[in-house]
């Protein structure tokens, strides 16, 4: 009865269904581009002794858990006094940056300067989602000198670079994969409309799922691998599910069935197969949540989210 109702609803109220998905895409899709900003790290660090040491260092020795590290370097011909003035000037400029709550200069503590090198620590009270803007501000304030240099590293800086690389790779993969999928579907169906539908469903699912994961990332820690999981799983499942439905619907029409009966038969056969397939994958992914590593939790949550959205999109 449920699949019959879905078929009739889709056939008699297509504008309402399309409007609902347009609202979904407009709302959640608007947050998709912000997802890299809330991702934390690779997610391969288990909770254990290392995390306890970080907390002890922060509480007892006032060393930040995830500092921004400044690495200073000079040529051998530069005198130590000139190097010190360069460090002092740099620290003054960076301490004025928005989001910097505390700074540990190489000039204030022993062991932070050695030969031609020195390092400083900066801590920030800015949330994860705004760290990229803080790092960009810090880089814009770095002085340029022919004989001396200062660079930014640390977990936050490395993570921002990894997120940027992942986002670039994701866009490159989509630029190749989506046209290739469209060409294959066009050859398989012999019609533009039938080939466009699975691709459009896939793009809607990926964009919406990334927006949902952005909202989840503001509340829980997410690994940067979610940037690769959602497009990969989302496009694969969405196109596959839509392909099954479109293919079966066209077969029913070819066999002489009227549109409504073709839709009902399609939902009762291909639609039922999609639902059971999605449920099987969903319960399989639940098992991954029990692996005590953030990367597996992230992969499971991201894949489950895009799976549910893919199934809902296909069935409507």
């Amino acid at each position: 009865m449920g699949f019959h109702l879905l078929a009739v609803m889709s056939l008699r109220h297509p504008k309402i269904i399309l409007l609902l998905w347009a609202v979904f895409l407009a709302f959640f899709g608007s947050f998709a581009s912000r997802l890299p900003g809330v991702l934390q790290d690779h997610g391969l660090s288990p909770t254990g002794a290392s995390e306890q040491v970080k907390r002890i260092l922060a509480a007892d020795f006032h060393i930040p858990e995830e500092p921004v590290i400044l690495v200073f370097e000079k040529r051998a011909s530069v005198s130590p006094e000139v190097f010190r003035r360069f460090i002092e000037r740099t620290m003054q400029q960076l301490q004025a940056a928005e989001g910097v709550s505390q700074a540990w200069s190489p000039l204030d503590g022993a062991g932070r300067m050695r030969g031609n090198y020195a390092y400083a620590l900066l801590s920030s009270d800015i949330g994860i989602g705004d760290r990229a803007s803080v790092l960009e501000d810090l880089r814009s304030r770095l002085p340029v000198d022919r004989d001396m240099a200062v660079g930014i590293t640390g977990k936050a800086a490395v993570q921002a670079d990894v997120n940027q690389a992942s986002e670039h790779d994701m866009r490159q993969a989509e630029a190749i994969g989506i046209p290739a999928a469209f060409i294959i579907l066009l050859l398989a169906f012999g019609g533009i409309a039938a080939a466009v539908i699975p691709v459009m469903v896939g793009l809607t699912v990926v964009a919406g799922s990334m927006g949902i994961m952005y909202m989840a990332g503001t509340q829980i820690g997410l690994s940067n691998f979610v940037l690769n999981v959602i497009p990969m799983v989302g496009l694969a499942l969405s196109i596959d599910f839509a392909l099954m439905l479109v293919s079966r619907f066209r077969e029913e029409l070819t066999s002489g069935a009227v549109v409504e009966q073709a839709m009902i038969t399609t939902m009762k056969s291909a639609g039922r197969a999609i639902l059971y397939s999605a449920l099987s994958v969903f319960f399989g992914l639940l098992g991954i949540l029990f692996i005590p590593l953030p990367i597996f939790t992230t992969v499971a949550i991201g894949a489950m989210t895009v799976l549910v959205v893919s199934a809902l999109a296909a069935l409507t």
Side-chain angles (χ1 to χ4, degrees):
M1 181 63 186
F3 291 101
H4 185 280
L5 182 62
L6 273 175
V8 173
M9 181 179 66
S10 299
L11 196 62
R12 296 181 181 176
H13 307 287
K15 292 182 179 179
I16 295 176
I17 292 174
L18 288 174
L19 177 63
L20 290 174
W21 278 108
V23 171
F24 170 84
L25 180 60
F27 180 75
F28 289 105
S30 64
F31 296 102
S33 61
R34 304 185 194 179
L35 178 59
V38 299
L39 303 182
Q40 296 187 2
D41 58 16
H42 45 68
L44 293 170
S45 302
T47 56
S50 62
E51 295 298 319
Q52 295 177 7
V53 170
K54 285 183 181 180
R55 287 193 291 269
I56 292 172
L57 288 173
D60 297 345
F61 298 94
H62 307 292
I63 297 176
E65 293 186 32
E66 297 177 8
V68 174
I69 302 173
L70 305 175
V71 180
F72 296 87
E73 181 181 3
K74 73 177 182 68
R75 294 181 185 271
S77 58
V78 177
S79 67
E81 185 59 35
V82 172
F83 192 36
R84 284 176 174 271
R85 287 201 298 269
F86 175 77
I87 292 174
E88 185 177 5
R89 185 171 69 252
T90 303
M91 294 303 297
Q92 288 176 351
Q93 292 177 357
L94 296 183
Q95 287 182 53
E98 183 180 358
V100 176
S101 58
Q102 200 167 357
W104 290 263
S105 171
L107 308 178
D108 297 336
R112 298 193 190 126
M113 292 187 66
R114 181 172 297 177
N116 298 327
Y117 302 93
Y119 76 91
L121 302 177
L122 300 177
S123 65
S124 174
D125 53 6
I126 296 295
I128 294 173
D130 298 318
R131 286 182 185 175
S133 61
V134 172
L135 290 170
E136 186 177 351
D137 185 27
L138 290 175
R139 288 192 176 100
S140 68
R141 294 171 181 265
L142 295 179
V144 179
D145 191 282
R146 187 177 60 183
D147 299 318
M148 294 172 287
V150 55
I152 295 179
T153 185
K155 182 178 179 180
V158 172
Q159 186 58 47
D161 292 341
V162 171
N163 288 350
Q164 186 176 6
S166 297
E167 189 174 4
H168 173 266
D169 292 344
M170 177 190 69
R171 295 185 186 280
Q172 195 172 36
E174 289 177 346
I176 298 172
I178 292 175
F182 174 74
I183 292 172
I184 293 171
L185 291 170
L186 186 62
L187 293 174
F189 287 139
I192 293 179
V196 165
I197 290 173
V199 175
M200 292 301 298
V201 170
L203 292 174
T204 300
V205 167
V206 169
S209 299
M210 289 181 70
I212 293 173
M213 290 306 293
Y214 162 77
M215 295 181 176
T218 61
Q219 304 298 322
I220 60 176
L222 294 178
S223 164
N224 53 29
F225 282 97
V226 76
L227 272 179
N228 306 104
V229 170
I230 288 181
M232 179 176 62
V233 176
L235 287 174
L237 287 177
S238 301
I239 292 177
D240 188 42
F241 288 166
L243 181 61
M244 291 172 63
L245 286 168
V246 173
S247 179
R248 184 57 192 268
F249 181 70
R250 285 164 61 92
E251 287 178 4
E252 292 299 319
L253 289 180
T254 304
S255 66
V258 296
V259 172
E260 183 169 348
Q261 185 57 47
M263 179 74 81
I264 293 172
T265 303
T266 298
M267 291 303 296
K268 287 184 175 180
S269 54
R272 188 188 304 274
I274 287 171
L275 178 62
Y276 290 161
S277 174
L279 288 174
S280 299
V281 176
F282 186 87
F283 286 115
L285 291 169
L286 280 177
I288 301 179
L289 294 175
F290 293 97
I291 302 176
L293 275 177
I295 180 176
F296 290 107
T297 304
T298 295
V299 167
I301 293 175
M304 289 163 68
T305 299
V306 78
L307 172 66
V308 171
V309 178
S310 298
L312 289 175
L315 294 175
T316 51

